[in-house]
């Protein structure tokens, strides 16, 4: 069937029917936050199954053991000194932080801007609260400074610190702390770790520049409960000619426990669900099978990603392309690949229907996604729809990641682009050339390399 006729049937309804947005309202306003192990996450699993069924898309669950971390009381205060008055600070525990004693931890603050600076301090870290500062300005800085949140508290604990504060990884701040995962290396006794608002990090920074100590009291009541049984939700639209060849389109169903995960990653979830709904209506069906995977526990463990790769290990050589939509609900701006020589030539002739959406070009950036990492050793080619993420980190991992932050038009356009690219990968006469196998960040052979924190 002519490319443009199919494009009309996929892109048209994605732009005009508002289905993805309605679904996102159900997931965010209806279910709410859905951190792995929570009741919300289980409700989201049931919702996804019901929704696929209503769309006429075959779906099932696959088991995943997940951590069950819960937030408790959280507060901090600047202790008064001769130079300044005391006052509350706005903090939010980082995922997998341990609690403080009920009375809190009170200690002098020492500020560092990198893990190297921390190491250089040596003994001066002992008994202190380490403040990890940075100057994140745009979305492109998230990768660079993310290691301060992901690995900083563990490094601080190793060096003898009693607690860690991490300046929120934010591109804007109205006194909003941004949570996220941190990870303690094996053998390190975890310390309480929290994010602090940009404003309070700046205040501490200014006070530390003056003479005399700066003391903070931190109270955290979070805890790790026994692991729970949870699920990935998997759905499929069978291919007409090569049903054994799989195009994976994914997103993560879990969110943080604050906000309602409208951008992270409710938007991605409804985009790939809508792609499946529209592809299931497509007659004849695309050449290959399109498989939707809604991963559980991306945020604080990537257990769903690992469980999927393990359960489907024998099938991974037949995974001909994989995409994860996990960059919010912003406008589509182009298409990205992670493949090998010759891929661009195969894909470019199929991008015309994306031109009107503003996404008709192949961009030099690499496609990827946290939940796709376990597919790296199997040389699975990745593709993706790049989105405008200039405002994404204003709300990311905060109480403010809610439906009102979603631009319906941008969501609809990215949904259309994702649906079209899923179709392209399923319909291309040839498959994308496979990239060289890369080591999995989870393989024991990788030694102490830890999966990145998201
Ligand atoms: Zn995400």
């Amino acid at each position: 069937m002519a490319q443009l006729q199919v494009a009309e049937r996929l892109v048209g309804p994605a732009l005009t029917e508002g289905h993805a947005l309605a679904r996102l309202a159900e997931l965010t306003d209806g279910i709410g936050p859905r951190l792995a192990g929570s009741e919300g996450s289980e409700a989201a699993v049931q919702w996804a199954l019901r929704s696929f069924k209503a769309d006429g898309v075959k779906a099932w669950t696959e088991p995943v053991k997940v951590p069950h971390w819960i937030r408790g009381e959280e507060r901090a205060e600047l202790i008064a000194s001769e130079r300044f008055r005391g006052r509350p600070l706005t903090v939010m525990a980082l995922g997998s932080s341990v609690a403080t004693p009920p009375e809190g931890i009170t200690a002098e603050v020492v500020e560092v801007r990198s893990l190297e600076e921390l190491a250089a301090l040596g003994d001066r870290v002992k008994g202190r609260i380490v403040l990890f500062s940075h100057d994140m300005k745009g979305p492109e800085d998230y990768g660079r400074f993310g290691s301060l949140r992901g690995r900083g508290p563990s490094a601080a604990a190793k060096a003898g610190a009693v607690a860690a504060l991490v300046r929120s990884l934010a591109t804007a701040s109205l006194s909003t702390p941004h949570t996220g995962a941190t990870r303690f290396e094996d053998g390190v006794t975890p310390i309480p770790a929290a994010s602090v608002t940009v404003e309070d990090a700046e205040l501490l920074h200014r006070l530390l520049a003056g003479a005399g100590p700066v003391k903070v009291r931190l109270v955290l009541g979070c805890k790790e409960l026994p692991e729970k049984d949870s699920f990935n939700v998997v759905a499929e639209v069978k291919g007409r000619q090569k049903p054994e060849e799989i195009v994976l389109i994914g997103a993560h169903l879990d969110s943080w426990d604050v906000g309602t995960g409208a951008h992270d990653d409710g938007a991605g979830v409804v985009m790939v669900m809508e792609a499946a709904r529209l592809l299931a209506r497509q007659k004849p069906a695309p050449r290959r099978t399109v498989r939707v995977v809604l991963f559980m526990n991306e945020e604080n463990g990537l257990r769903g990603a690992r469980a999927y790769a393990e359960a489907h290990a024998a099938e991974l050589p037949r995974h001909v392309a994989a995409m994860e939509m996990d960059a919010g609900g912003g406008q589509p701006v182009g298409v990205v690949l992670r493949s090998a020589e010759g891929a661009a030539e195969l894909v470019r002739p199929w991008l015309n229907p994306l031109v009107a959406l503003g996404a008709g070009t192949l961009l030099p950036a690499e496609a990827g996604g946290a939940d796709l990492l376990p597919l790296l050793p199997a040389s699975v080619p990745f593709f993706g729809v790049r989105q405008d993420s200039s405002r994404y980190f204003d709300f990311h991992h905060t109480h403010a990641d809610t439906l009102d932050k979603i631009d319906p038009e941008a969501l609809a356009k990215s949904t259309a682009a994702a649906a079209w690219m899923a179709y392209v990968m399923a319909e291309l006469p040839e498959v994308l050339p496979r990239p060289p196998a890369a080591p999995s960040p989870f393989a024991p052979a990788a030694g102490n390399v830890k999966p990145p924190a998201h």
Side-chain angles (χ1 to χ4, degrees):
M1 187 178 300
Q3 223 191 80
L4 279 176
Q5 272 175 287
V6 182
E8 260 170 42
R9 293 195 204 170
L10 292 176
V11 173
L15 288 179
T16 57
E17 288 180 8
H19 214 262
L21 183 65
R23 280 270 157 80
L24 188 54
E26 293 171 11
L27 184 61
T28 56
D29 291 349
I31 292 171
R34 41 195 188 279
L35 188 62
S38 68
E39 279 180 23
S41 70
E42 295 320 307
V45 166
Q46 297 309 320
W47 165 85
L49 283 176
R50 279 198 311 274
S51 303
F52 279 124
K53 193 173 174 196
D55 290 348
V57 178
K58 189 185 158 206
W60 62 93
T61 56
E62 298 186 359
V64 184
K65 240 329 173 223
V66 296
H68 188 199
W69 176 87
I70 56 166
R71 190 176 298 284
E73 178 188 18
E74 43 195 20
R75 61 195 158 85
E77 64 180 304
L78 175 67
I79 306 291
S81 83
E82 284 166 11
R83 286 196 294 138
F84 46 80
R85 286 167 53 80
R87 75 204 72 171
L89 300 171
T90 308
V91 296
M92 188 182 272
L94 296 179
S96 42
S97 171
V98 293
T100 64
E103 70 280 12
I105 286 174
T106 306
E108 261 184 55
V109 177
V110 58
E111 182 185 23
V112 300
R113 303 185 78 82
S114 67
L115 298 178
E116 292 72 26
E117 244 180 67
L118 176 75
L121 282 178
D123 266 0
R124 279 175 289 167
V125 175
K126 284 209 164 74
R128 304 285 184 91
I129 295 175
V130 176
L131 168 66
F132 289 93
S133 286
H134 56 82
D135 57 349
M136 178 167 177
K137 291 196 172 68
E140 66 284 359
D141 294 329
Y142 185 70
R144 189 151 58 105
F145 297 127
S147 62
L148 292 179
R149 190 195 69 210
R151 306 196 340 247
S154 180
K158 223 170 164 177
V162 291
L165 294 174
V166 181
R167 176 181 162 132
S168 288
L169 292 165
T171 44
S173 186
L174 294 169
S175 286
T176 312
H178 294 233
T179 190
T182 195
R183 187 169 282 101
F184 291 92
E185 263 180 55
D186 294 341
V188 173
T189 305
I191 54 174
S195 63
V196 60
T197 61
V198 169
E199 290 83 353
D200 285 343
E202 291 280 348
L203 170 67
L204 292 172
H205 171 76
R206 290 192 299 271
L207 296 178
L208 284 162
V214 175
K215 276 191 175 183
V216 162
R217 174 175 300 131
L218 176 67
V219 180
L220 296 181
C222 45
K223 62 180 162 203
E224 200 84 60
L225 300 175
E227 293 195 343
K228 282 188 86 168
D229 292 317
S230 186
F231 304 94
N232 288 331
V233 179
V234 184
E236 236 174 42
V237 178
K238 273 270 182 258
R240 70 169 190 279
Q241 199 185 80
K242 296 187 166 179
E244 73 286 358
E245 291 187 355
I246 294 159
V247 174
L248 186 158
I249 58 173
H252 64 87
L253 193 52
D254 63 307
S255 75
W256 275 103
D257 57 335
V258 293
T260 56
H263 277 287
D264 187 14
D265 184 20
V269 166
V270 299
M271 284 179 206
V272 295
M273 289 176 84
E274 181 64 353
R277 186 181 77 96
L278 296 172
L279 287 167
R281 295 200 308 199
Q282 179 60 33
K283 299 281 181 292
R287 195 186 306 273
R288 305 182 182 84
T289 293
V290 173
R291 181 182 287 174
V292 181
V293 185
L294 303 181
F295 295 97
M296 183 51 70
N297 186 223
E298 186 272 351
E299 295 292 3
N300 60 335
L302 292 173
R303 299 281 190 90
R306 285 184 270 183
Y308 179 84
E310 278 164 29
H312 297 273
E315 270 179 0
L316 296 185
R318 295 189 277 110
H319 279 55
V320 299
M323 161 172 86
E324 180 169 34
M325 296 301 291
D326 184 17
Q331 300 268 0
V333 296
V335 170
V336 287
L337 297 172
R338 184 182 185 281
S339 181
E341 203 55 36
E345 289 67 26
L346 288 179
V347 173
R348 232 179 243 119
W350 293 74
L351 300 184
N352 278 344
L354 299 185
V355 172
L357 301 174
T361 45
L362 212 48
L363 302 174
E366 249 192 16
D371 289 309
L372 303 184
L373 291 172
L375 307 181
L376 287 171
S379 295
V380 178
F382 297 162
F383 68 109
V385 173
R386 194 80 167 181
Q387 295 169 263
D388 173 8
S389 58
S390 53
R391 310 256 350 245
Y392 182 58
F393 290 98
D394 296 1
F395 320 116
H396 183 253
H397 297 181
T398 73
H399 283 294
D401 185 4
T402 46
L403 191 62
D404 49 290
K405 308 306 184 308
I406 295 287
D407 169 359
E409 193 184 313
L411 181 78
K413 283 185 181 175
S414 278
T415 303
W420 176 250
M421 286 312 298
Y423 172 75
V424 169
M425 292 298 150
E427 191 59 35
L428 277 177
E430 299 165 73
V431 294
L432 295 185
R434 297 176 87 81
S440 163
F442 309 109
N448 282 331
V449 180
K450 297 282 174 181
H454 284 269

